[in-house]
mmCIF file with all atom_site columns, all heavy atoms in Angstrom:
data_model
loop_
_atom_site.group_PDB
_atom_site.id
_atom_site.type_symbol
_atom_site.label_atom_id
_atom_site.label_alt_id
_atom_site.label_comp_id
_atom_site.label_asym_id
_atom_site.label_entity_id
_atom_site.label_seq_id
_atom_site.pdbx_PDB_ins_code
_atom_site.Cartn_x
_atom_site.Cartn_y
_atom_site.Cartn_z
_atom_site.occupancy
_atom_site.B_iso_or_equiv
_atom_site.pdbx_formal_charge
_atom_site.auth_seq_id
_atom_site.auth_comp_id
_atom_site.auth_asym_id
_atom_site.auth_atom_id
_atom_site.pdbx_PDB_model_num
ATOM 1   N N   . PRO A 1 93  ? 37.461 -26.314 3.826  1.00 0.00 ? 93  PRO A N   1
ATOM 2   C CA  . PRO A 1 93  ? 37.833 -26.011 5.199  1.00 0.00 ? 93  PRO A CA  1
ATOM 3   C C   . PRO A 1 93  ? 37.028 -26.842 6.203  1.00 0.00 ? 93  PRO A C   1
ATOM 4   O O   . PRO A 1 93  ? 35.810 -26.861 6.132  1.00 0.00 ? 93  PRO A O   1
ATOM 5   C CB  . PRO A 1 93  ? 37.571 -24.541 5.333  1.00 0.00 ? 93  PRO A CB  1
ATOM 6   C CG  . PRO A 1 93  ? 37.596 -23.984 3.932  1.00 0.00 ? 93  PRO A CG  1
ATOM 7   C CD  . PRO A 1 93  ? 37.069 -25.087 3.103  1.00 0.00 ? 93  PRO A CD  1
ATOM 8   N N   . GLY A 1 94  ? 37.733 -27.524 7.087  1.00 0.00 ? 94  GLY A N   1
ATOM 9   C CA  . GLY A 1 94  ? 37.060 -28.332 8.065  1.00 0.00 ? 94  GLY A CA  1
ATOM 10  C C   . GLY A 1 94  ? 37.978 -29.196 8.803  1.00 0.00 ? 94  GLY A C   1
ATOM 11  O O   . GLY A 1 94  ? 39.204 -28.985 8.877  1.00 0.00 ? 94  GLY A O   1
ATOM 12  N N   . LYS A 1 95  ? 37.449 -30.282 9.452  1.00 0.00 ? 95  LYS A N   1
ATOM 13  C CA  . LYS A 1 95  ? 38.229 -31.157 10.267 1.00 0.00 ? 95  LYS A CA  1
ATOM 14  C C   . LYS A 1 95  ? 38.145 -32.564 9.711  1.00 0.00 ? 95  LYS A C   1
ATOM 15  O O   . LYS A 1 95  ? 37.091 -33.052 9.293  1.00 0.00 ? 95  LYS A O   1
ATOM 16  C CB  . LYS A 1 95  ? 37.683 -31.190 11.723 1.00 0.00 ? 95  LYS A CB  1
ATOM 17  C CG  . LYS A 1 95  ? 37.702 -29.793 12.392 1.00 0.00 ? 95  LYS A CG  1
ATOM 18  C CD  . LYS A 1 95  ? 39.125 -29.251 12.511 1.00 0.00 ? 95  LYS A CD  1
ATOM 19  C CE  . LYS A 1 95  ? 39.088 -27.860 13.155 1.00 0.00 ? 95  LYS A CE  1
ATOM 20  N NZ  . LYS A 1 95  ? 40.453 -27.263 13.205 1.00 0.00 ? 95  LYS A NZ  1
ATOM 21  N N   . ILE A 1 96  ? 39.307 -33.261 9.661  1.00 0.00 ? 96  ILE A N   1
ATOM 22  C CA  . ILE A 1 96  ? 39.366 -34.638 9.232  1.00 0.00 ? 96  ILE A CA  1
ATOM 23  C C   . ILE A 1 96  ? 39.117 -35.556 10.442 1.00 0.00 ? 96  ILE A C   1
ATOM 24  O O   . ILE A 1 96  ? 39.758 -35.345 11.506 1.00 0.00 ? 96  ILE A O   1
ATOM 25  C CB  . ILE A 1 96  ? 40.759 -34.948 8.604  1.00 0.00 ? 96  ILE A CB  1
ATOM 26  C CG1 . ILE A 1 96  ? 40.919 -34.112 7.302  1.00 0.00 ? 96  ILE A CG1 1
ATOM 27  C CG2 . ILE A 1 96  ? 40.879 -36.404 8.285  1.00 0.00 ? 96  ILE A CG2 1
ATOM 28  C CD1 . ILE A 1 96  ? 42.251 -34.266 6.648  1.00 0.00 ? 96  ILE A CD1 1
ATOM 29  N N   . LEU A 1 97  ? 38.249 -36.506 10.281 1.00 0.00 ? 97  LEU A N   1
ATOM 30  C CA  . LEU A 1 97  ? 37.822 -37.334 11.416 1.00 0.00 ? 97  LEU A CA  1
ATOM 31  C C   . LEU A 1 97  ? 38.231 -38.793 11.171 1.00 0.00 ? 97  LEU A C   1
ATOM 32  O O   . LEU A 1 97  ? 37.781 -39.437 10.227 1.00 0.00 ? 97  LEU A O   1
ATOM 33  C CB  . LEU A 1 97  ? 36.281 -37.273 11.548 1.00 0.00 ? 97  LEU A CB  1
ATOM 34  C CG  . LEU A 1 97  ? 35.621 -35.915 11.584 1.00 0.00 ? 97  LEU A CG  1
ATOM 35  C CD1 . LEU A 1 97  ? 34.140 -36.028 11.577 1.00 0.00 ? 97  LEU A CD1 1
ATOM 36  C CD2 . LEU A 1 97  ? 36.103 -35.120 12.806 1.00 0.00 ? 97  LEU A CD2 1
ATOM 37  N N   . PRO A 1 98  ? 39.121 -39.325 12.005 1.00 0.00 ? 98  PRO A N   1
ATOM 38  C CA  . PRO A 1 98  ? 39.468 -40.761 11.872 1.00 0.00 ? 98  PRO A CA  1
ATOM 39  C C   . PRO A 1 98  ? 38.393 -41.621 12.502 1.00 0.00 ? 98  PRO A C   1
ATOM 40  O O   . PRO A 1 98  ? 37.974 -41.403 13.629 1.00 0.00 ? 98  PRO A O   1
ATOM 41  C CB  . PRO A 1 98  ? 40.784 -40.867 12.648 1.00 0.00 ? 98  PRO A CB  1
ATOM 42  C CG  . PRO A 1 98  ? 40.804 -39.711 13.588 1.00 0.00 ? 98  PRO A CG  1
ATOM 43  C CD  . PRO A 1 98  ? 39.964 -38.657 12.995 1.00 0.00 ? 98  PRO A CD  1
ATOM 44  N N   . MET A 1 99  ? 37.876 -42.593 11.746 1.00 0.00 ? 99  MET A N   1
ATOM 45  C CA  . MET A 1 99  ? 36.799 -43.486 12.204 1.00 0.00 ? 99  MET A CA  1
ATOM 46  C C   . MET A 1 99  ? 37.226 -44.953 12.132 1.00 0.00 ? 99  MET A C   1
ATOM 47  O O   . MET A 1 99  ? 37.450 -45.473 11.020 1.00 0.00 ? 99  MET A O   1
ATOM 48  C CB  . MET A 1 99  ? 35.564 -43.261 11.340 1.00 0.00 ? 99  MET A CB  1
ATOM 49  C CG  . MET A 1 99  ? 35.040 -41.859 11.313 1.00 0.00 ? 99  MET A CG  1
ATOM 50  S SD  . MET A 1 99  ? 34.192 -41.448 12.827 1.00 0.00 ? 99  MET A SD  1
ATOM 51  C CE  . MET A 1 99  ? 33.504 -39.828 12.414 1.00 0.00 ? 99  MET A CE  1
ATOM 52  N N   . ASP A 1 100 ? 37.345 -45.603 13.283 1.00 0.00 ? 100 ASP A N   1
ATOM 53  C CA  . ASP A 1 100 ? 37.577 -47.016 13.347 1.00 0.00 ? 100 ASP A CA  1
ATOM 54  C C   . ASP A 1 100 ? 36.157 -47.693 13.297 1.00 0.00 ? 100 ASP A C   1
ATOM 55  O O   . ASP A 1 100 ? 35.476 -47.649 14.322 1.00 0.00 ? 100 ASP A O   1
ATOM 56  C CB  . ASP A 1 100 ? 38.327 -47.388 14.579 1.00 0.00 ? 100 ASP A CB  1
ATOM 57  C CG  . ASP A 1 100 ? 38.779 -48.867 14.552 1.00 0.00 ? 100 ASP A CG  1
ATOM 58  O OD1 . ASP A 1 100 ? 38.203 -49.624 13.714 1.00 0.00 ? 100 ASP A OD1 1
ATOM 59  O OD2 . ASP A 1 100 ? 39.605 -49.260 15.382 1.00 0.00 ? 100 ASP A OD2 1
ATOM 60  N N   . LEU A 1 101 ? 35.790 -48.266 12.192 1.00 0.00 ? 101 LEU A N   1
ATOM 61  C CA  . LEU A 1 101 ? 34.418 -48.792 12.044 1.00 0.00 ? 101 LEU A CA  1
ATOM 62  C C   . LEU A 1 101 ? 34.143 -49.893 13.032 1.00 0.00 ? 101 LEU A C   1
ATOM 63  O O   . LEU A 1 101 ? 32.962 -50.171 13.332 1.00 0.00 ? 101 LEU A O   1
ATOM 64  C CB  . LEU A 1 101 ? 34.182 -49.271 10.624 1.00 0.00 ? 101 LEU A CB  1
ATOM 65  C CG  . LEU A 1 101 ? 34.154 -48.165 9.515  1.00 0.00 ? 101 LEU A CG  1
ATOM 66  C CD1 . LEU A 1 101 ? 33.729 -48.718 8.217  1.00 0.00 ? 101 LEU A CD1 1
ATOM 67  C CD2 . LEU A 1 101 ? 33.289 -47.020 9.891  1.00 0.00 ? 101 LEU A CD2 1
ATOM 68  N N   . ALA A 1 102 ? 35.148 -50.587 13.497 1.00 0.00 ? 102 ALA A N   1
ATOM 69  C CA  . ALA A 1 102 ? 34.937 -51.633 14.485 1.00 0.00 ? 102 ALA A CA  1
ATOM 70  C C   . ALA A 1 102 ? 34.312 -51.067 15.787 1.00 0.00 ? 102 ALA A C   1
ATOM 71  O O   . ALA A 1 102 ? 33.645 -51.772 16.504 1.00 0.00 ? 102 ALA A O   1
ATOM 72  C CB  . ALA A 1 102 ? 36.250 -52.330 14.811 1.00 0.00 ? 102 ALA A CB  1
ATOM 73  N N   . ASN A 1 103 ? 34.528 -49.783 16.024 1.00 0.00 ? 103 ASN A N   1
ATOM 74  C CA  . ASN A 1 103 ? 33.940 -49.157 17.212 1.00 0.00 ? 103 ASN A CA  1
ATOM 75  C C   . ASN A 1 103 ? 32.521 -48.714 17.038 1.00 0.00 ? 103 ASN A C   1
ATOM 76  O O   . ASN A 1 103 ? 31.855 -48.270 17.983 1.00 0.00 ? 103 ASN A O   1
ATOM 77  C CB  . ASN A 1 103 ? 34.802 -47.940 17.622 1.00 0.00 ? 103 ASN A CB  1
ATOM 78  C CG  . ASN A 1 103 ? 36.209 -48.267 18.062 1.00 0.00 ? 103 ASN A CG  1
ATOM 79  O OD1 . ASN A 1 103 ? 36.445 -49.402 18.543 1.00 0.00 ? 103 ASN A OD1 1
ATOM 80  N ND2 . ASN A 1 103 ? 37.122 -47.403 17.838 1.00 0.00 ? 103 ASN A ND2 1
ATOM 81  N N   . PHE A 1 104 ? 31.986 -48.826 15.756 1.00 0.00 ? 104 PHE A N   1
ATOM 82  C CA  . PHE A 1 104 ? 30.640 -48.417 15.486 1.00 0.00 ? 104 PHE A CA  1
ATOM 83  C C   . PHE A 1 104 ? 29.796 -49.530 14.923 1.00 0.00 ? 104 PHE A C   1
ATOM 84  O O   . PHE A 1 104 ? 28.880 -49.299 14.152 1.00 0.00 ? 104 PHE A O   1
ATOM 85  C CB  . PHE A 1 104 ? 30.657 -47.217 14.488 1.00 0.00 ? 104 PHE A CB  1
ATOM 86  C CG  . PHE A 1 104 ? 31.434 -46.010 14.985 1.00 0.00 ? 104 PHE A CG  1
ATOM 87  C CD1 . PHE A 1 104 ? 32.663 -45.745 14.531 1.00 0.00 ? 104 PHE A CD1 1
ATOM 88  C CD2 . PHE A 1 104 ? 30.861 -45.201 15.985 1.00 0.00 ? 104 PHE A CD2 1
ATOM 89  C CE1 . PHE A 1 104 ? 33.373 -44.664 14.987 1.00 0.00 ? 104 PHE A CE1 1
ATOM 90  C CE2 . PHE A 1 104 ? 31.615 -44.089 16.429 1.00 0.00 ? 104 PHE A CE2 1
ATOM 91  C CZ  . PHE A 1 104 ? 32.863 -43.829 15.955 1.00 0.00 ? 104 PHE A CZ  1
ATOM 92  N N   . GLY A 1 105 ? 30.144 -50.766 15.282 1.00 0.00 ? 105 GLY A N   1
ATOM 93  C CA  . GLY A 1 105 ? 29.375 -51.909 14.800 1.00 0.00 ? 105 GLY A CA  1
ATOM 94  C C   . GLY A 1 105 ? 29.610 -52.229 13.349 1.00 0.00 ? 105 GLY A C   1
ATOM 95  O O   . GLY A 1 105 ? 28.845 -52.978 12.737 1.00 0.00 ? 105 GLY A O   1
ATOM 96  N N   . GLY A 1 106 ? 30.659 -51.706 12.761 1.00 0.00 ? 106 GLY A N   1
ATOM 97  C CA  . GLY A 1 106 ? 31.005 -52.021 11.359 1.00 0.00 ? 106 GLY A CA  1
ATOM 98  C C   . GLY A 1 106 ? 30.207 -51.252 10.336 1.00 0.00 ? 106 GLY A C   1
ATOM 99  O O   . GLY A 1 106 ? 30.347 -51.537 9.137  1.00 0.00 ? 106 GLY A O   1
ATOM 100 N N   . GLU A 1 107 ? 29.376 -50.288 10.699 1.00 0.00 ? 107 GLU A N   1
ATOM 101 C CA  . GLU A 1 107 ? 28.617 -49.531 9.783  1.00 0.00 ? 107 GLU A CA  1
ATOM 102 C C   . GLU A 1 107 ? 28.472 -48.070 10.215 1.00 0.00 ? 107 GLU A C   1
ATOM 103 O O   . GLU A 1 107 ? 28.344 -47.755 11.406 1.00 0.00 ? 107 GLU A O   1
ATOM 104 C CB  . GLU A 1 107 ? 27.178 -50.110 9.630  1.00 0.00 ? 107 GLU A CB  1
ATOM 105 C CG  . GLU A 1 107 ? 27.047 -51.344 8.792  1.00 0.00 ? 107 GLU A CG  1
ATOM 106 C CD  . GLU A 1 107 ? 25.633 -51.742 8.523  1.00 0.00 ? 107 GLU A CD  1
ATOM 107 O OE1 . GLU A 1 107 ? 24.693 -51.253 9.254  1.00 0.00 ? 107 GLU A OE1 1
ATOM 108 O OE2 . GLU A 1 107 ? 25.395 -52.524 7.601  1.00 0.00 ? 107 GLU A OE2 1
ATOM 109 N N   . LEU A 1 108 ? 28.498 -47.185 9.214  1.00 0.00 ? 108 LEU A N   1
ATOM 110 C CA  . LEU A 1 108 ? 28.265 -45.752 9.423  1.00 0.00 ? 108 LEU A CA  1
ATOM 111 C C   . LEU A 1 108 ? 27.551 -45.168 8.234  1.00 0.00 ? 108 LEU A C   1
ATOM 112 O O   . LEU A 1 108 ? 27.883 -45.484 7.066  1.00 0.00 ? 108 LEU A O   1
ATOM 113 C CB  . LEU A 1 108 ? 29.550 -44.998 9.612  1.00 0.00 ? 108 LEU A CB  1
ATOM 114 C CG  . LEU A 1 108 ? 30.151 -44.807 11.015 1.00 0.00 ? 108 LEU A CG  1
ATOM 115 C CD1 . LEU A 1 108 ? 31.457 -43.986 10.928 1.00 0.00 ? 108 LEU A CD1 1
ATOM 116 C CD2 . LEU A 1 108 ? 29.182 -44.128 11.964 1.00 0.00 ? 108 LEU A CD2 1
ATOM 117 N N   . LEU A 1 109 ? 26.551 -44.338 8.475  1.00 0.00 ? 109 LEU A N   1
ATOM 118 C CA  . LEU A 1 109 ? 25.927 -43.534 7.452  1.00 0.00 ? 109 LEU A CA  1
ATOM 119 C C   . LEU A 1 109 ? 26.617 -42.202 7.404  1.00 0.00 ? 109 LEU A C   1
ATOM 120 O O   . LEU A 1 109 ? 26.885 -41.604 8.459  1.00 0.00 ? 109 LEU A O   1
ATOM 121 C CB  . LEU A 1 109 ? 24.412 -43.363 7.713  1.00 0.00 ? 109 LEU A CB  1
ATOM 122 C CG  . LEU A 1 109 ? 23.513 -44.578 7.570  1.00 0.00 ? 109 LEU A CG  1
ATOM 123 C CD1 . LEU A 1 109 ? 22.102 -44.271 8.012  1.00 0.00 ? 109 LEU A CD1 1
ATOM 124 C CD2 . LEU A 1 109 ? 23.497 -45.052 6.123  1.00 0.00 ? 109 LEU A CD2 1
ATOM 125 N N   . CYS A 1 110 ? 26.887 -41.650 6.216  1.00 0.00 ? 110 CYS A N   1
ATOM 126 C CA  . CYS A 1 110 ? 27.574 -40.383 6.131  1.00 0.00 ? 110 CYS A CA  1
ATOM 127 C C   . CYS A 1 110 ? 27.082 -39.589 4.926  1.00 0.00 ? 110 CYS A C   1
ATOM 128 O O   . CYS A 1 110 ? 26.523 -40.097 3.972  1.00 0.00 ? 110 CYS A O   1
ATOM 129 C CB  . CYS A 1 110 ? 29.067 -40.540 6.077  1.00 0.00 ? 110 CYS A CB  1
ATOM 130 S SG  . CYS A 1 110 ? 29.704 -41.314 4.581  1.00 0.00 ? 110 CYS A SG  1
#
Side-chain angles (χ1 to χ4, degrees):
K95 301 300 179 183
I96 296 176
L97 311 173
M99 300 286 188
D100 188 346
L101 293 187
N103 296 330
F104 301 103
E107 283 189 343
L108 270 181
L109 290 172
C110 68

